[in-house]
Structure formats: structure tokens, C-alpha cells
Amino acid sequence: MNEPKLSQRLLSLDALRGFDMLFIMGFATLVVNVCHIFPGDVSAAVAESMSHPAWHGFSHHDTIFPLFLFIAGISYPFSLAKQRSLGATQGDLYRKILKRGALLILFGLIYNGLFRLDWPMRTASVLGRIGLAWALAAMLFLNFRTRTRIGIVGAILVGYWALLALVPAPDAPAGADVYSMEGTIVGYIDRLLLPGKLHNKIFDPEGLLSTVPAVATAMLGMLTGEFVRLSEQRLSGNRKALYMALAAVAFTLVGILWDLSLPINKKLWTSSFVCVVAGYSLGMFALFYWIIDVKGYKGWVLPFQVIGLNSITIYMAQRIVDFKGISAFFFGGLAAKMPETLAPVVASTGYLLVSWLFLYFLYKKRIFLKV
């Protein structure tokens, strides 16, 4: 039986994080450009999945953000065990959680243009939500037992559903749906309490109230990491992967059924959305964990590992560094010589390659941005 050594870093987590961030790095654009070469219903559906739905609905692009948060959750029980083995006190643990959460919020503000000194600016951000949701989930992980945390997740999901369904925005237009951008209490809280600009003027997809169910996403990741770590002696790697796959199916079915009364909606981060993305995240982790950490097939991992070990770096760098200009310098001439349908494929491939080589340079120099 080929068992992973859980005392070491789970390679599957770095690879899965890299796979997830690959779409942010430009792979989604490459997929869309390739699909344009082969017009048809299937390619059109694949291309459409590389962007977010306008409001309700679900696409592959909707999985990127919650999967990253779920992975951050999986990592925490391993990180916590290591910190405690090194003698960290409860105060040390709290300080590290608060520091990480604050840094992610700061990076989110920088990403939004903090240094332009142009107020009002948008204060909500993807990194800010990760910082808040992960930090709150980590606090709960430190203070409550497993069964209590499972109950908290259930209470968050049911409570959030009830709030959205029963409490419309006080300033909603007459007859507005409680799950619409104009009618939801989520947008009203943003307009009332969130400082700065909102992403859509009346609503922000990374706003305050919708961060609460994102805490549940992080908590589900932590429960997954806890299961993998604590079952090291009791269950084989194959059995753990199987149980996670079955849980993935269960969460997905619950989310699909819940969609009948509570629409799956990433911008609202609805409870049905939490379940569906938990199913996707669990399924992907089970697959990567089984292939890499259990079966030991690691020869293909490096391209994803290079990204996964510097995921925050590439997210921030694509906002700061002119990768598009660099790729145009090296690949613009070749793209210009290509037929009209192939030119975007060459350009997007060049952009992806330049971004990856930047991370590979950092990887070879052992330079990693750790938050």
C-alpha cells in the first residue's frame, strides 16, 4: 500500500492550487481562443464556461475563487499542527491568523489601486474576502470541536438562506425579487456599510454579508484537511480519497436540489453555491490527492507546482507587471504572421508562457511570497 507521508507538505495541494490559478494566469483565455477555431455547440459551451454567468447560474469560472479558499482551508490543520509542534502558544496562533488576514486585505487594496491615492476606491476584493473568510474560519477552528464546527457550517448555510429569502432590501424597487441585484439584502448591506466604491454601483460581489457563507467554504476546507490528517493511521489513502469523492457527490447533489428554491449564485455566494463548489473542490482534491500523494504519480506535477507555490505572487504580479507587453515583444511578430483565427491562440499562449517562466525563475531561485 502506497501511503502519503502526511508529516510533509501535501504535494497535491500545491499542484491543485497551481491548476486552479492556471485559469487566472491566462489559460481560460487560451481555451476560449482555441474554441473559436472549432465552432460548434460543444466548443461554444466550453468557451462560455470560461466566464462568469451574468447573475444566477454556474460555470467553471465560478469554481476558481472558492476552490482557492477551500484549499487554503485544507492547508490550515497541517500548518496548525506544525506550529504547535514548534511550541507556538495560543497567542502566537491568534497573532499569525490576524497578520495573515490583514496582509491579504492589504494586498487586495493594493490590487484595487491603493497607491493611486484616488478616493473613493473599491475596498472589497478577492484577496480581502479570502483574508476575512479564512481568518474567521481559522479562529473557529482553534476554539471549537469538529462536531460544533460542522453545526456552525450548517447554521451559516441555513441562516444565510433564511435571511436572503425573508429580508428584502428596504430600498428595493416594488416587486423586486429578493434574489436579484436590486432586491437582495446583500446589496443593501454593501450600500449601507461598505466604504468606497461598489463593483456594480449598487452591489459588490466581494461585499460584507456575502463573506459570511464564504467562511463556511473555508471551514469545509479545514474539515477536509482535518479528516485527511487525523485519519492517517486509521484509513488507507485509497479509502480517504474514496470517502472524499463520495462526499463530493453528496455536496453536489445537495447544491443542485437546493437550487430549486435558492439559486446557485456566485455573486451572492448563496448556500446552494457553497454546496456545489464544495462538491467540486472535494472532488478535485480527492483526485489530485489520490493520483499524487497516494499512487505517487508525480512526474507531471512541476508545471502546476511552480504556480501553486507562488499563487499570490502571480495574482498580484499580473496587476503590476506588463506581461502582455512582454509577451507581445517576444510573440507579437509570430502572432501577426498567423491566420486570423490562430493569431489570438499564439498571443494567449505567449502570455501564459511568459507568466509561467516568471514563476519558474522564482521557483529556481527559491523565492516564494508567503502570507
Side-chain angles (χ1 to χ4, degrees):
M1 185 183 301
N2 192 2
E3 287 296 310
K5 296 180 180 179
L6 295 182
S7 59
Q8 300 176 0
R9 187 182 185 99
L10 283 177
L11 183 58
S12 57
L13 277 182
D14 291 330
L16 181 56
R17 190 184 298 108
F19 170 82
D20 191 41
M21 289 300 298
L22 183 67
F23 292 89
I24 296 294
M25 277 178 58
F27 187 67
T29 302
L30 176 59
V31 170
V32 171
N33 290 333
V34 171
C35 286
H36 289 163
I37 301 176
F38 307 99
D41 293 340
V42 173
S43 59
V46 172
E48 187 177 5
S49 74
M50 294 296 110
S51 60
H52 297 295
W55 189 243
H56 296 323
F58 186 73
S59 72
H60 177 270
H61 221 54
D62 286 342
T63 68
I64 298 170
F65 182 3
L67 175 57
F68 189 92
L69 180 56
F70 194 91
I71 292 170
I74 295 175
S75 302
Y76 188 62
F78 297 96
S79 172
L80 178 61
K82 181 179 179 181
Q83 291 176 66
R84 282 177 168 161
S85 71
L86 296 174
T89 65
Q90 199 77 347
D92 294 332
L93 298 174
Y94 283 128
R95 281 188 289 273
K96 188 158 187 177
I97 290 171
L98 292 174
K99 178 182 176 182
R100 187 184 191 203
L103 281 173
L104 286 169
I105 293 170
L106 175 61
F107 286 164
L109 292 172
I110 293 171
Y111 187 92
N112 285 354
L114 177 64
F115 292 124
R116 295 194 190 106
L117 303 178
D118 183 17
W119 184 261
M121 60 171 281
R122 185 184 176 219
T123 54
S125 67
V126 168
L127 292 180
R129 169 161 292 181
I130 292 172
L132 283 171
W134 177 87
L136 289 169
M139 292 287 191
L140 292 170
F141 191 90
L142 283 180
N143 287 282
F144 295 99
R145 296 180 178 179
T146 303
R147 288 186 180 180
T148 304
R149 284 184 276 113
I150 292 173
I152 291 172
V153 170
I156 288 173
L157 297 184
V158 174
Y160 187 64
W161 175 32
L163 182 64
L164 264 60
L166 300 176
V167 184
D171 60 353
D177 182 6
V178 292
Y179 299 128
S180 68
M181 186 183 298
E182 297 80 9
T184 178
I185 187 65
V186 175
Y188 177 75
I189 295 298
D190 289 343
R191 294 191 292 276
L192 189 66
L193 299 177
L194 189 63
K197 295 179 181 178
L198 304 184
H199 187 265
N200 292 323
K201 295 185 178 180
I202 64 169
F203 178 89
D204 200 294
E206 279 78 50
L208 296 172
L209 186 58
S210 55
T211 296
V212 175
V215 174
T217 299
M219 292 179 71
L220 288 169
M222 291 178 188
L223 287 166
T224 301
E226 185 179 31
F227 164 73
V228 173
R229 194 182 77 82
L230 295 182
S231 61
E232 180 178 3
Q233 304 301 326
R234 295 185 291 107
L235 296 174
S236 69
N238 288 322
R239 188 64 60 90
K240 282 182 281 190
L242 174 61
Y243 286 166
M244 287 190 290
L246 292 174
V249 173
F251 270 108
T252 303
L253 290 175
V254 169
I256 291 172
L257 290 173
W258 211 340
D259 178 59
L260 298 174
S261 58
L262 175 64
I264 295 172
N265 186 308
K266 176 189 175 293
K267 294 179 175 65
L268 289 172
W269 212 282
T270 54
S271 305
S272 53
F273 173 76
V274 171
C275 291
V276 169
V277 295
Y280 173 81
S281 302
L282 262 169
M284 291 300 293
F285 176 58
L287 178 63
F288 273 61
Y289 173 77
W290 182 74
I291 292 173
I292 298 170
D293 293 314
V294 178
K295 305 304 290 184
Y297 301 131
K298 303 176 181 179
W300 57 280
V301 167
L302 180 64
F304 299 112
Q305 186 183 17
V306 166
I307 303 169
L309 287 171
N310 256 320
S311 52
I312 300 296
T313 302
I314 192 59
Y315 186 81
M316 294 298 295
Q318 289 194 310
R319 185 69 165 173
I320 300 168
V321 180
D322 185 16
F323 289 113
K324 186 174 181 179
I326 297 170
S327 62
F329 179 85
F330 288 103
F331 297 97
L334 178 61
K337 302 295 184 183
M338 292 289 108
E340 185 177 351
T341 55
L342 287 179
V345 174
V346 173
S348 52
T349 300
Y351 181 92
L352 187 62
L353 182 60
V354 165
S355 300
W356 188 87
L357 287 173
F358 166 73
L359 292 180
Y360 184 67
F361 172 80
L362 298 180
Y363 175 83
K364 294 297 287 185
K365 296 295 182 180
R366 312 305 295 171
I367 299 172
F368 305 109
L369 175 60
K370 295 182 179 180
V371 179

